[in-house]
């Protein structure tokens, strides 16, 4: 039976099931197949806070959304075109996000009375008409998988578990994905248990064959490759990209990297990833807590390492006192904050941007630091290198603000040429810098950085500490004038950091409204702006990578527009800074839902502004 | 990690013939403790001991927290960091782990180490990081002007406890042993020779060496250790532990420590009343920490029967050695230049090419 | 402090005839641990034990930190606070000190209690605050998905230590004893009867009761305590401490613990090979913690010879009792109404009058 | 010999000597005598960071400045009219602050070559003409004291130590102070050692007699009582007032007070003071660190106490995570920050206002709290009560921002009528608040406060925690819409707090310039404004007690003036908030010297503004 093939320009698929159903893996594989094909991609995993919530419950639902297209996309998609629901809980938890007309593929085997009751379905949605208006494909995923594996030497449980590969096979067929890499992946993954390789491969192929043969799926789809910049690509999450960026910074600076960290969601994977790269001279330490983590890191920085500590909001709250010490010591230090929804423990697996003010102001005394934020998963690589550049050149703590959305989301990454990455080499002090001997607080007039004289350097023995220091000598000083001078110098040091100008995307130069953003809102803001422009509504977009110091041209940029709007996943933290600094009546547009903005809601909001501007 | 080219450029690694004296370890900073403070004696003893290390000054680092005692680094003409309250062991751990070429010393107080810094201390000991930790125990908060500390005796009347403190103190030696410390010792500010002998043993230990130094704060807790210093009580109250020797004390060795059969722990007896073979011979290398722990419980509230010297000194791999070993082993597997390896790393996993 | 009028108004203090059952302690929240997690067994054991306390539900409070184990309070139909990582002992100390009418329980994990919360734990134990501290030790970080913890064995391969961990673990019992704990016990998730017997002893202790519960995390560290559960090894590996009884174990009591003369610490021997009087009779009330400490050192890395039961239970005034005593004594000296006394206080010292 | 008596309206005296010379005590006594007389007073102690710096050195100098007047004054005075210098170090350290013509009383006994050399005097300033232009009184204080005590049964050391009482006697005579209270004080202080009572009383009287007889002091001064509100007064420091305010809040709320604290300069005295007041049901706990301190406090609050934790900046930096928990739990909690110069350890004995941004923003997630600041030492009493009112009524953490200047400075305090203090009684929840049982997050619509249901209350058993909670039920919730709602509700809760309007002092209503301040700058700003007005230059002053929420009329007030200037001892932290909130081009006037502003420098700055407005 030859099926009809239809061309699509983009598709959003959400795989949803129980935590034990392997949805993250399924989504990952589908993404990988899709990437191979050259589509542009963006993904959004979403998993429960519990390790294993009771099977079949709403809190136990885990999902993975992938958006792929034949053009360059910016977000994982607002609403799925296709939902794969492995059980009633997955259906119930996700149905609200589906537009009418969407496709739903259901695992009918799980729609038992017991499972329906567990999530409060009074009637079976397969029968009660509540799914009218969707294109529903009921598929007995479990039993067909088990049947396909009949006779193989595996347990019933293992056979049932392979149902996600059946589903993947079906979807791969449906969207004409190349499946060699998945088969290779299964070989690798189950190398130790060949019977599972066979089982999973069989399940995958059975799913594929089911698509090909069954009448239920009359049409097959294709999404052509996107026109992307030539080069080598891989799909990458923000946390991995950030970790690799730190490895790269180590290589390009010639310094050993030291990561001191205490596990915390959603930052732990940075520790996990870096702990694999010891061969680059990367040392990772799981410290007893966040304070020890930043302390050990500062100790390593003092000794001449590129010191990094990674955590999430609650951890940064604990590190404030030590960061304040690093400000006084004027040593390089990178503090990675993978933001999550707060306050307090909040919603640890959900994203948010509400740590900006803490990054800028969350320490006692005047304790200014540099603040840098990546805008997309792959951009975490570059942002990490930029943070290292600033920390090393200016001898200052740098807060690198990622978030849960960037951390776990993924996108294709054009692999950089390593030799083209910034040269981060630094000179340690090696001899006295004044006729009177070594002056630890005698600054480089260009950068205002003090010398980095690491222990072990003969003749430069000196003492530093958290008490106020006299300019130049670094001796303890209680002199009022000196203190005032040092406070202002520390502030000036940050303001003196050279950062690139803020770029504005305003294709026709006719926009009167500017959307200003920072961090992970880049994708949805960009998508919304594009959509508006396509509809002939001019709008300008600018996205801040540097929150402290701000690029010098921000004032100019802001004044070019009649209205400035700042969408943030907080209650207006960047807006507060912009308003204070530039006295511009920036509009704060805020949502604090633990989820990224959708492009469509931003488009809607911006449309009003543009029309009324 | 000292193989990074940059670090090498700045740091000498060649051994130098050293002719250092105590004076070489005196910095140009005016010493600012109260006249009469026990910290002076410790400083002088440490400065005089340093040349023995045979390590050039630039390879020695003192890291401290906050407190009177924590001003120590300013007075040593070595590298030094006066950090923040309680965090010195954590900071020193990062330094020691990345810089095996350095001799890293932590100076801390009873509040700094055992109150706010208790967690970092016990974890450093558990990890057995290469650090020499000198805890100046004056059983009071000096710098903040006289509140009680976790080593102050129960019922201590201080500014913050006008009705007497309500919490039993830590025994720092017991705590360290409970935290798996491999080297544990105690000494006294006023006994320079003993202090230096303990420093010597600590310096020779690979891993964390924990040294409690009884230190007199003559302003807020004067005479706290007088019982171990006054001629009247000194000899009967102090047990000088000497490796390989039977534990006897008193002016004429009239007291001894035995391990009563069927009893729990160690006890003090009149030497004349026990058989010589019953007297415990001090062995700091006993693997079982229960022995040192039992020793740590000998003193009463009046300090009677306070052992000083090295309680325990056993070998266990140190955290930083193991960690560096892992890194070194991984580096040994490095085939290309870092840039080449990085290129490989970035290009690993599922990649694809767009033409 | 429950004498403040307001507190009284809300809180019943009259004892009530209680007829509670395990079910009364089940909250309406769905339990959300992984199927098979040892936490379920502990929860069930605690819920079933609670009625024994004879305390109305409203006077019981569970305070926890963060971790899988720390979800515990949600499932108990008592008062409860799921606080922040590591801080439960501190929070519970404030509650217990101001509210003697409450029964305050802390639930914590090995990471929560011993990693980030280590300092609060040792200080709570030192102070001997009226708290029952249940440490669910699964030797792993469950909630953050499988990093090693301070009780994981050296060389543990986890997500954060792909080349194996480089730090020796704490022995929680030794650490607690080093921190002057007055009540120290250990039990196992799978042995409900034993678990409850330990809870009973803990509940009866005035002061801090520290209970380590070996808990299986079947997702990230499955089988960590199998040696104490599997029929093949169970009896030979587990030492059941019973107050007043000689310490023997093995299916036929073929093993025993002795205190070898001249040796340091305790040792395991074949019962047949020693004289009966040589066998140590377990006494949890021994004042000297060195005994319990020696017990805590018996197990090897393979858990062989793990004592379970109450290691130590001695009396020492609890911090909160002493503090409340001081406050009560001061209040007894109050002559007028609070307002009158306040007027006096404000008007004390050098005052003057402007007409 | 009858001496001439001259009337003065105000005098500023600075007592300066070695740390061991008892200058704080001397100053205190002089202040007390002065207070008895009915002068208005303001004091400023200044002591070294070291416990006992080496005798005779510059870092060892300790001083106490007292300003007294026959009118109502606001600051301890910019420049002393009289310096009492007990040794060369005291002279050297303080001379720079003296205006020409000032009186200097020197202890000549200490002007030995050795002592002069110690502080780097090449020549004796008594001889080399460098003090020309001052009215210098060289007095052999030590030897005269020793001589006066000749024959008394005390050691030479004790005799020498009494020299401060000789000096006090002399000054008391010179300014016609009543000395009965000092004699009574000495009786009390040395009750255990009667020989010291005699010695010190003798020394005091000898000093008095010396003034009366010597020719060196030809004139004696009088400063008439100030016209003050009738009532009972005492002199009080900020830390003591704050502690008493907390005791009063306990009495007026009927709640036990629990203070969890870890010692830190300059906040420790709050712990010390409160630990004396157990009879009011005040429990103080010296915790193992600041995190434990706030943790224990929160535990006590949970149990129904008025929970307070006191610290300085480094401690607040450590408490952020727990304060964030308190925000989520919505429990009353007072966090006292006695600010000191930062960053890091900074200058612990010096004052600063640089923790405002940390108080407002220094936590992860959106974690809004109320912020209150006292304006003068005595005002710390009222501010503490106000903090308690807000914490108890609105079930929220309140940051109370004092500083080192307020903490140790003193002023006369009109003792309040206890029964007139605010009624702070609260109702604990005692029964279910809904048909479905007890809903821990069902709010009072007026205050938005949730019920305070303390453990021990039958039938209200419930669980709270740091995870996001569902509105009303308080159950754990990951629902995006609920989170957004809760984040906004927590912010609204703070904004909903009722605070009095901002008052403006603008006597003629002709001012075009407004000076806005907060905290301890009240005194110098007020003094500067008065001085300007006396010179016919109109200026308006307003001082914020509530930093969060801001009074509702702030916008109106700001818009009434052409220029708004905000002097702060930081780099412009309030200015940042005002600019962001009200888009007013407020001018930040900043000094970060570890010292209060002087009135004259503010006057100078404001004069320019007023003239150019
Ligand atoms: C975070 C923080 N909390 C509190 C302080 C105040 N502080 C400084 S030193 C100290 C205790 C000093 O006692 P100890 O460690 O025994 O040292 P000593 O002065 O007795 O040598 C305290 C509480 C501080 N500097 N930082
Ligand atoms: C300040 C802070 N740091 C880190 C975390 C992340 N975290 C939550 S639980 C946990 C460790 C859990 O381990 P354990 O205490 O052993 O409990 P278990 O889950 O094993 O029961 C960590 C690191 C956090 N919530 N807060
Ligand atoms: S206060 Fe005590 S410990 Fe501190 S310097 Fe003075 S005498 Fe020494
Ligand atoms: S991860 Fe482990 S400890 Fe946590 S709930 Fe699952 S089985 Fe239990
Ligand atoms: Mg001390
Ligand atoms: Mg655990």
């Amino acid at each position: 039976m030859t099926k009809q093939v239809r061309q699509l320009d983009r598709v959003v698929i959400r795989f949803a099931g129980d935590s034990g159903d392997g949805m993250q893996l399924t989504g990952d594989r589908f993404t990988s197949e899709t990437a191979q094909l050259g589509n542009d991609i963006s993904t959004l995993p979403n998993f429960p806070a519990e390790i294993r919530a009771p099977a079949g419950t709403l809190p136990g639902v885990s999902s993975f959304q992938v958006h792929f297209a034949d053009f360059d996309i910016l977000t994982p998609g607002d609403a799925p075109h296709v939902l794969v629901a492995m059980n009633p809980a997955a259906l119930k938890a996700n149905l609200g996000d589906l537009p009418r007309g969407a496709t739903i593929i259901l695992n009918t085997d799980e729609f038992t009375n017991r499972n329906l009751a567990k999530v409060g379905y009074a009637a079976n949605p397969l029968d009660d008409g509540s799914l009218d208006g969707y294109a529903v494909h009921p598929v007995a995923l479990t039993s067909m998988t088990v049947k396909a594996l009949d006779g193989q030497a595996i347990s019933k449980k293992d056979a049932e578990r392979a149902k996600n590969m059946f589903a993947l096979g079906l979807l791969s067929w449906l969207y004409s994905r190349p499946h060699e890499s998945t088969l290779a992946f299964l070989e690798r993954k189950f190398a130790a248990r060949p019977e599972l390789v066979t089982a999973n491969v069989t399940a995958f192929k059975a799913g594929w064959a089911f698509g090909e043969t069954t009448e239920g799926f009359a049409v097959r789809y294709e999404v052509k490759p996107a026109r992307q910049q030539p080069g080598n690509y891989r799909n990458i999450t923000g946390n991995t990209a950030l970790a690799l960026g730190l490895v790269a910074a180590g290589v390009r600076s010639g310094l050993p990297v030291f990561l001191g960290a205490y596990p915390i969601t959603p930052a732990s994977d940075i520790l996990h990833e870096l702990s694999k790269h010891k061969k680059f001279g990367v040392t990772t330490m799981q410290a007893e807590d966040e304070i020890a983590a930043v302390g050990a890191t500062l100790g390593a920085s003092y000794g001449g390492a590129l010191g990094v500590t990674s955590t999430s909001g609650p951890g940064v709250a604990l590190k404030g006192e030590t960061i304040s010490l690093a400000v006084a010591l004027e040593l390089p230090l990178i503090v990675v904050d993978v933001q999550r929804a707060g306050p307090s423990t909040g919603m640890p697996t959900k994203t948010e941007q509400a740590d900006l003010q803490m990054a800028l102001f969350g320490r006692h005394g005047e304790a200014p630091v540099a603040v840098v934020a990546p805008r997309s998963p792959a951009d975490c690589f570059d942002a990490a290198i930029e943070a290292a550049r600033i920390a090393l050149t200016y001898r200052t703590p740098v807060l690198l603000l990622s978030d849960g959305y960037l951390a776990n989301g993924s996108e294709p990454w054009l692999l950089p040429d390593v030799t083209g990455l910034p040269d981060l080499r630094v000179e340690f002090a090696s001899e006295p810098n004044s006729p009177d001997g070594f002056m630890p607080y005698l600054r480089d007039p260009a950068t205002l950085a003090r010398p980095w004289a690491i222990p072990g350097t003969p003749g430069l023995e000196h003492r530093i500490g958290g008490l106020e220091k006299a300019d130049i000598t670094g001796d303890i000083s209680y002199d009022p004038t000196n203190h005032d001078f040092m406070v202002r110098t520390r502030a000036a040091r940050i303001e003196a950091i050279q950062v690139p100008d803020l770029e504005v995307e305003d294709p026709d130069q006719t926009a009167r409204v500017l959307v200003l953003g920072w961090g992970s809102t880049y994708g949805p803001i960009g998508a919304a702006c594009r959509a508006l422009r396509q509809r002939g509504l001019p709008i300008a977009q600018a996205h801040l990578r540097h929150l402290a110091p701000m690029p010098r041209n921000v004032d100019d940029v802001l004044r070019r527009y009649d209205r400035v709007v700042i969408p943030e996943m907080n209650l207006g933290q960047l807006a507060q800074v912009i308003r204070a600094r530039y006295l511009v009546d920036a509009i704060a547009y805020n949502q604090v839902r633990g989820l990224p903005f959708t492009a469509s809601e931003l488009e809607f909001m911006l449309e009003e502004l543009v029309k009324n501007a | 990690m000292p193989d990074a080219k940059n670090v090498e450029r700045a740091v000498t690694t060649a051994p130098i013939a050293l002719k250092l004296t105590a004076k070489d370890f005196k910095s140009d900073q005016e010493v600012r403790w109260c006249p009469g403070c026990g910290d002076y004696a410790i400083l002088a003893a440490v400065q005089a001991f340093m040349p023995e290390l045979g390590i050039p000054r630039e390879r020695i680092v003192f890291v401290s927290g906050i407190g009177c005692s924590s001003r120590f680094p300013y007075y040593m003409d070595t590298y030094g960091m006066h950090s923040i309250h309680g965090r010195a062991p954590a900071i020193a751990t990062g330094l020691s782990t990345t810089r095996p070429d350095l001799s890293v010393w932590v100076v801390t107080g009873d509040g700094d180490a055992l109150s706010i810094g208790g967690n970092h201390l016990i974890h450093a000991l558990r990890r057995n990081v290469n650090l020499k930790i000198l805890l100046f125990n004056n059983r009071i908060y000096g710098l903040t002007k006289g509140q009680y500390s976790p080593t102050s005796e129960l019922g201590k009347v201080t500014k913050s406890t006008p009705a007497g403190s309500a919490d039993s103190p830590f025994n720092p030696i017991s705590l360290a042993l409970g935290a798996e410390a491999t080297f544990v010792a105690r000494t006294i500010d006023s006994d320079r020779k003993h202090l230096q002998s303990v420093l010597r043993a600590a310096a020779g230990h690979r891993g964390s060496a924990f040294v409690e130094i009884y230190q007199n704060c003559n302003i807020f807790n004067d005479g706290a250790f007088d019982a171990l210093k006054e001629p009247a009580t000194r000899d009967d109250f102090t047990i000088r532990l000497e490796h390989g020797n039977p534990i006897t004390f008193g002016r004429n060795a009239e007291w001894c420590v035995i391990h009563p059969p069927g009893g729990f722990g160690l006890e003090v007896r009149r030497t004349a009343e026990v058989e010589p073979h019953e007297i415990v011979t001090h062995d700091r290398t006993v693997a079982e920490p229960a022995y040192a722990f039992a020793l740590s419980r000998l003193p009463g509230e009046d300090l009677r029967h306070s052992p000083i010297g090295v309680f325990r000194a056993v070998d266990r791999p140190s955290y930083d050695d193991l960690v560096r070993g892992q890194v070194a082993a991984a580096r040994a597997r490095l085939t290309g230049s870092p840039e080449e390896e990085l290129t490989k790393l970035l290009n690993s996993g599922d990649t694809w090419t767009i033409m």
Side-chain angles (χ1 to χ4, degrees), chain A residues 321, chain B residues 33 37 39 65-71 84-87 108-116 135-145 147 149-151 215 217:
Chain A
E321 195 205 2
Chain B
W33 289 305
C37 176
D39 291 348
I66 300 285
C68 295
S69 33
S70 289
R71 289 227 159 200
I84 45 177
H85 200 30
R87 317 301 172 188
T108 180
D110 41 325
D112 195 57
L114 298 173
S115 199
I116 192 167
L135 190 162
F136 294 17
N137 183 4
N138 53 15
R139 306 186 77 176
I140 201 79
Y141 284 7
L143 190 70
T144 47
K145 309 200 173 173
Q147 299 82 11
S149 93
T151 57
Q215 173 246 325
C217 167

Side-chain angles (χ1 to χ4, degrees), chain A residues 71 74 78 505 523-539 541 599-604 606-607:
Chain A
F71 57 95
L74 293 164
D78 292 355
E505 199 187 305
I525 295 177
C529 289
R530 276 193 205 167
L532 286 175
R533 286 184 204 124
Q534 273 167 9
R535 293 165 50 203
L537 297 168
I539 187 149
Q541 181 190 6
S600 56
E601 70 203 352
L602 287 177
E603 185 184 337
F604 183 80
L606 293 174
E607 180 176 345

Side-chain angles (χ1 to χ4, degrees), chain A residues 163-514:
Chain A
K163 65 180 176 294
N164 63 334
M165 285 302 116
F166 189 103
L168 181 63
L170 174 57
L171 272 286
S172 299
W173 171 82
L174 194 57
Y175 291 96
S176 317
R177 307 285 101 184
H179 56 283
E180 296 70 24
S181 73
T182 292
L183 302 185
F185 167 85
L186 291 171
E187 297 274 359
R188 280 201 310 276
K189 179 167 167 75
F190 297 112
R193 297 186 56 193
E195 75 280 13
L196 291 186
V197 176
T198 316
N200 279 284
V201 168
T202 311
F204 181 91
K205 289 188 174 161
W208 183 285
F210 174 77
E212 220 157 35
T213 29
T214 184
E215 310 234 323
F217 295 95
V219 194
R220 194 180 175 189
Y221 302 93
E222 270 183 23
V223 179
K224 286 275 159 60
R227 229 168 315 141
Q228 287 172 307
Q229 234 181 297
N232 278 334
Y233 283 81
R234 77 189 258 195
N235 194 48
I236 198 149
T237 64
N239 270 349
T240 310
L242 201 152
L244 295 182
L246 293 172
V247 173
V251 169
R252 298 295 291 167
S253 62
L255 297 179
V257 173
F258 180 92
L259 178 87
Y262 187 70
I264 188 167
T265 305
S268 308
D269 281 338
I270 296 172
L271 165 63
H272 303 160
E273 180 67 28
L274 276 174
S275 66
K276 295 181 202 154
H277 301 305
K278 297 189 169 49
K279 71 170 158 190
F280 292 96
V282 175
T283 301
T284 56
M285 173 181 178
Q286 179 178 317
E288 59 270 29
D289 64 14
E290 283 85 353
I291 303 179
V294 66
T297 303
L298 186 59
S301 287
Y302 175 57
L306 172 57
V308 186
T309 185
S310 55
T311 186
S312 183
V316 178
L318 289 166
K319 290 175 202 279
E321 195 205 2
T322 308
I323 299 173
S324 192
L325 172 64
V327 169
L329 298 184
E330 306 190 18
L331 284 171
L333 176 73
I334 300 177
V335 180
V336 180
D337 178 359
V338 185
Q339 300 163 95
R340 65 188 213 185
S344 195
T345 313
M347 308 194 301
T349 53
K350 305 294 172 193
T351 196
E352 202 157 289
Q353 295 187 296
D355 294 352
L356 175 60
Q357 286 178 327
M358 172 174 63
L360 292 167
F361 309 123
R363 292 160 298 276
H364 60 287
E366 292 286 350
V369 299
V371 181
V372 170
R375 58 171 63 177
S376 76
D379 186 45
C380 288
F381 181 85
D382 297 316
I385 294 178
E386 174 66 352
R389 177 188 74 85
I390 294 175
L392 293 171
T393 313
Y394 298 94
R395 316 278 146 85
T396 177
V398 179
L399 273 113
L400 180 54
L401 293 182
S402 178
D403 66 31
Y405 171 51
L406 297 177
N408 294 314
S410 71
E411 65 176 355
W413 176 36
L414 174 58
L415 294 169
D417 173 9
V418 166
T419 53
L421 295 175
D423 180 348
L424 300 179
R425 279 174 298 179
V426 286
E427 282 289 339
F428 293 127
S430 58
E431 49 193 35
N433 55 355
S434 97
D436 299 328
F438 179 60
M439 297 291 145
Y441 278 76
L442 181 58
R443 301 171 186 284
D444 177 327
T447 59
L448 295 184
R450 72 178 194 90
W452 194 2
I454 64 172
T457 316
L460 305 193
E461 294 82 4
H462 66 285
R463 276 65 52 191
I464 56 178
L467 287 166
E468 184 58 287
K469 279 156 297 292
D471 185 32
I472 300 174
T473 66
D475 290 344
I476 299 172
S477 168
Y478 280 76
D479 178 59
T481 309
N482 177 74
H483 179 55
D484 193 86
F485 176 79
M486 292 296 276
V487 166
R488 291 177 197 273
T489 302
R490 283 184 288 260
R493 248 159 63 67
I494 298 297
E495 287 301 322
I497 294 170
Q498 295 291 333
V499 303
D501 270 356
L502 178 64
E503 282 173 28
V504 185
E505 199 187 305
D506 183 4
D508 307 326
Q509 304 279 332
T510 54
R512 300 175 59 193
V513 174
L514 171 75

Side-chain angles (χ1 to χ4, degrees), chain B residues 335-349:
Chain B
T335 49
S337 71
E339 272 77 8
E340 287 161 5
E341 289 282 336
L342 179 59
T343 303
K344 259 197 267 171
L345 170 63
L346 301 188
N347 286 274
S348 61

